[in-house]
Amino acid sequence: MDTRPKVSSLLNRMANYTNLTQGAKEHEEAENITEGKKKPTKTMLTAISMSAIATNGVVPAGGSYFMISRALGPEFGGAVGLCFYLGTTFAAAMYILGAIEIFLVYIVPRAAIFHSDDALKESAAMLNNMRVYGTAFLVLMVLVVFIGVRYVNKFASLFLACVIVSILAIYAGAIKSSFAPPHFPVCMLGNRTLSSRHIDVCSKTKEINNMTVPSKLWGFFCNSSQFFNATCDEYFVHNNVTSIQGIPGLASGIITENLWSNYLPKGEIIEKPSAKSSDVLGSLNHEYVLVDITTSFTLLVGIFFPSVTGIMAGSNRSGDLKDAQKSIPIGTILAILTTSFVYLSNVVLFGACIEGVVLRDKFGDAVKGNLVVGTLSWPSPWVIVIGSFFSTCGAGLQSLTGAPRLLQAIAKDNIIPFLRVFGHSKANGEPTWALLLTAAIAELGILIASLDLVAPILSMFFLMCYLFVNLACALQTLLRTPNWRPRFRYYHWALSFMGMSICLALMFISSWYYAIVAMVIAGMIYKYIEYQGAEKEWGDGIRGLSLSAARFALLRLEEGPPHTKNWRPQLLVLLKLDEDLHVKHPRLLTFASQLKAGKGLTIVGSVIVGNFLENYGEALAAEQTIKHLMEAEKVKGFCQLVVAAKLREGISHLIQSCGLGGMKHNTVVMGWPNGWRQSEDARAWKTFIGTVRVTTAAHLALLVAKNISFFPSNVEQFSEGNIDVWWIVHDGGMLMLLPFLLKQHKVWRKCSIRIFTVAQLEDNSIQMKKDLATFLYHLRIEAEVEVVEMHDSDISAYTYERTLMMEQRSQMLRHMRLSKTERDREAQLVKDRNSMLRLTSIGSDEDEETETYQEKVHMTWTKDKYMASRGQKAKSMEGFQDLLNMRPDQSNVRRMHTAVKLNEVIVNKSHEAKLVLLNMPGPPRNPEGDENYMEFLEVLTEGLERVLLVRGGGSEVITIYS
């Protein structure tokens, strides 16, 4: 029964799709927003990229993480998402610390718990106060977020109102300062700024009871409080003490002094360049206002940047938005336009209204600790104080709301297993466990208690997130995938690339060591996710990029065959499956993995005999079995399974069609058919020889592993031993290259290579050894060389006996197959005399592989034909009896003699070798000699534990040139 949904119901579900967490009853309905006209802009590069991604489909919870992970894959998404989560969480701590600093310094200074009369310990006491109050504020904010996002939104409206009033108060105060600047004196000694915290009057003297007496300032620069006999600082003597207006106002023209940058080193005295001063150095006095930290453009960027990170707050709560595709672009771009205008206008207004020495005075020492912006604002400084306090509280709440949702989205994707618990939520959808972890991490930031230490790492995490948002947009645009159809049209890959470049540059400009730390953290997370095997198919851009790169590389490979220097074994490993679809010889894969020090391609192929329509499920199951085995053996490659009516046809199809373009296999790896002598079924060894013939016809190299079950596993390591190469015929260098590649693996690394070659009677064995040693030297292969001399000798009785046994066995097998054929024909005649008869076995190639006696019968079986067949059978029996009394074929005797003699030499020299590599002779042209060919190979390799028969593909695979 077809259970697919109707088109009407499918469209209904898609139209009413919601990205809200199931059960989120407390989420508020978003208000209808009238869509205004949007103007294209070439600024706000990250916002443009994010808008393009956000409008390219539904954006559920996760915001920027969801965009990056679906565009660049789970590894990049998880790494950047976690870093962005940490950045958002530490930002919450930073905002809370800012609120506490405003609370303790400007609102209720008496609320401080820790005090110190020592100026050096005063900052430490302040940090302790911030830790205590910061923890209390964090607990309150977490409780608000825990109750529900509805209450956060209500608080957000209140906080926003306070911020707007504060901003308007600054503009009003700046305008008022143009005609009525506030009284805000700053005491100067020459052109140097003095601290007003410990002086009573801005003068060297003061009037008391009509008497002129030294002021406190005099005592700070002179060694006596008396005018006479006092030794004073030289700079103090030669310069006057004056009072200047700290906020001269908008019409003062002070902007000309503040227009250009003036970065100072730590400990430098803050000076007013336009003020008069004698050219006297004087001594450094603690009553001067000093620069507390070495300033630079990069430092100021690192401190200022977190103030603009709030633009991502909306995307972090994408799961709470009614229409994220609409809200994220409009809200983010409007937020950037608004904040950019406010920030830039305030910078201009401050530079046009306030003295430079006051702007550089970080702690307000020159103005008795008063808030400069508060003094500038109208009608009261308290507007700025209250507005700043609620602004930082609101930003902290937004961070504590967005960060847990970001972590919950990462946890629900299950790309990082140990975070899985943080994917759970309350009945109303609030991420409880994620909120608790966020609170714990934020508490760590509060315990650090120093904003200057927290701010740079926050900048790195946010910049990294923005970098990858731009990268995701640029990648999707360049790939032009069919699914890339964003509604937001004002984007371009060049803008995204520019934004990415600026983000990367800012990371290293602001703090190169923090940038490296952030990248290392992200890299570790990336490798962890990759190691855990996050198999997520999200149609990400990295997959698309891989496909494009693979296509480009394959097209380049099509231009011609690889050069000899670039040749490496591209393996097609042929595996045999048993009745339960398990691999019979898994060590063949182990050997392939050990050989892959040369990298390259590995394709693991197998054949299931049957009909594709009927055996499709079995094929999938077998493919999964092989893939699991490949993973266990650490074989990086592909699996190819073929369902064919006949085994030989399936193997032929694999050899012909595996690979793509220039990325095809050049070497076939298979196992030796063990027990072929004892088997009455000739299909196994005939399939083997057929595979050898197909491989030869395709000009592919062939590796046949004999006694594969004795080959070492990947956990076994030979501490000593030899890999013996018997170089009988030059095969393009395969025999030289293979042991070198094996030695790159830890199993064979400590083995030595020995190369044997055979000299005939007419050869100069001494010269052959020298030439071979020179050849290996040029090949940069370290190996011991030995030349074995084989002289002509009489053919032994043992050789005759082996040859005769081989021919008798061959004839006997023919007779057995003939007898079986006759019995089948007689049984079929009784069943149906008029039917068409075809002699074959289920799943067998016997109709093609056996001799001509098993021809298909296409006529009625008559008595004459039956008698003729009986006569043929009788003649065959007579021939078999004659064979027992006749001498064996002389060509077979010569071949057997060569095999026996060579085997004696090999066993004598290499019986203790860990692996023996031999040239594999080609099969005979006449198929009637196939059994003899198998026997020759069997005799050649008798008495050896591990043998690798090697047959070259007809091309050179190794060269002496660089």
Side-chain angles (χ1 to χ4, degrees), residues 197-496:
R197 293 184 182 274
H198 304 106
I199 62 176
D200 48 356
V201 293
C202 184
S203 173
K204 294 181 180 180
T205 62
K206 60 182 179 179
E207 296 287 336
I208 300 179
N209 299 325
N210 295 323
M211 295 181 60
T212 302
V213 296
S215 66
K216 286 186 178 180
L217 187 62
W218 177 282
F220 292 138
F221 286 91
C222 301
N223 62 356
S224 173
S225 60
Q226 303 296 324
F227 288 119
F228 305 101
N229 300 324
T231 302
C232 298
D233 179 75
E234 189 176 4
Y235 188 87
F236 181 78
V237 172
H238 289 85
N239 289 276
N240 296 324
V241 176
T242 60
S243 178
I244 65 172
Q245 183 63 277
I247 304 179
L250 197 62
S252 64
I254 193 67
I255 192 172
T256 57
E257 281 190 25
N258 297 333
L259 191 60
W260 310 108
S261 60
N262 183 21
Y263 302 115
L264 300 176
K266 181 180 180 180
E268 189 82 5
I269 299 174
I270 296 178
E271 299 177 346
K272 179 178 172 60
S274 62
K276 293 182 179 180
S277 173
S278 299
D279 191 15
V280 180
L281 182 61
S283 61
L284 186 64
N285 194 290
H286 67 272
E287 289 305 313
Y288 291 127
V289 178
L290 306 178
V291 178
D292 71 310
I293 187 172
T294 301
T295 56
S296 64
F297 174 77
T298 58
L299 176 72
L300 296 181
V301 168
I303 294 176
F304 171 76
F305 187 79
S307 65
V308 300
T309 57
I311 64 172
M312 299 289 279
S315 66
N316 290 346
R317 295 172 57 184
S318 57
D320 301 323
L321 301 175
K322 182 178 181 180
D323 187 356
Q325 295 187 60
K326 181 179 179 181
S327 301
I328 289 178
I330 295 176
T332 303
I333 292 176
L334 288 179
I336 292 178
L337 289 174
T338 304
T339 55
S340 298
F341 172 78
V342 171
Y343 290 155
L344 292 176
S345 61
N346 278 328
V347 168
V348 173
L349 288 177
F350 293 162
C353 298
I354 305 173
E355 275 285 352
V357 294
V358 177
L359 293 174
R360 294 188 180 96
D361 184 9
K362 179 179 177 181
F363 297 105
D365 292 331
V367 292
K368 297 182 180 180
N370 289 320
L371 191 63
V372 177
V373 180
T375 305
L376 174 65
S377 63
W378 182 86
S380 170
W382 283 101
V383 176
I384 299 300
V385 173
I386 300 300
S388 300
F389 177 75
F390 282 124
S391 173
T392 51
C393 289
L397 269 179
Q398 294 295 335
S399 297
L400 289 175
T401 304
R405 283 161 171 75
L406 181 60
L407 178 62
Q408 185 185 40
I410 298 174
K412 282 188 173 181
D413 280 341
N414 198 24
I415 58 176
I416 303 177
F418 66 83
L419 293 180
R420 194 176 304 157
V421 65
F422 300 107
H424 302 301
S425 59
K426 295 193 301 181
N428 64 348
E430 292 298 324
T432 307
W433 291 106
L435 178 61
L436 292 177
L437 179 63
T438 302
I441 297 175
E443 177 64 17
L444 293 178
I446 289 174
L447 293 178
I448 295 174
S450 175
L451 291 176
D452 292 340
L453 292 177
V454 175
I457 193 65
L458 294 184
S459 301
M460 296 304 109
F461 288 149
F462 283 112
L463 279 170
M464 187 179 298
C465 178
Y466 300 163
L467 184 153
F468 279 96
V469 168
N470 283 292
L471 175 61
C473 181
L475 186 63
Q476 296 280 28
T477 306
L478 290 173
L479 289 176
R480 298 179 180 177
T481 55
N483 191 55
W484 179 244
R485 303 185 300 275
R487 291 191 178 92
F488 185 83
R489 299 297 182 184
Y490 309 109
Y491 69 93
H492 192 273
W493 68 266
L495 295 178
S496 300

Side-chain angles (χ1 to χ4, degrees), residues 789-808:
E789 297 181 353
M790 285 186 61
H791 302 292
D792 292 338
S793 60
D794 294 335
I795 298 175
S796 64
Y798 173 74
T799 301
Y800 275 99
E801 181 181 355
R802 290 296 299 263
T803 307
L804 186 59
M805 290 173 58
M806 175 184 70
E807 294 184 350
Q808 288 178 349

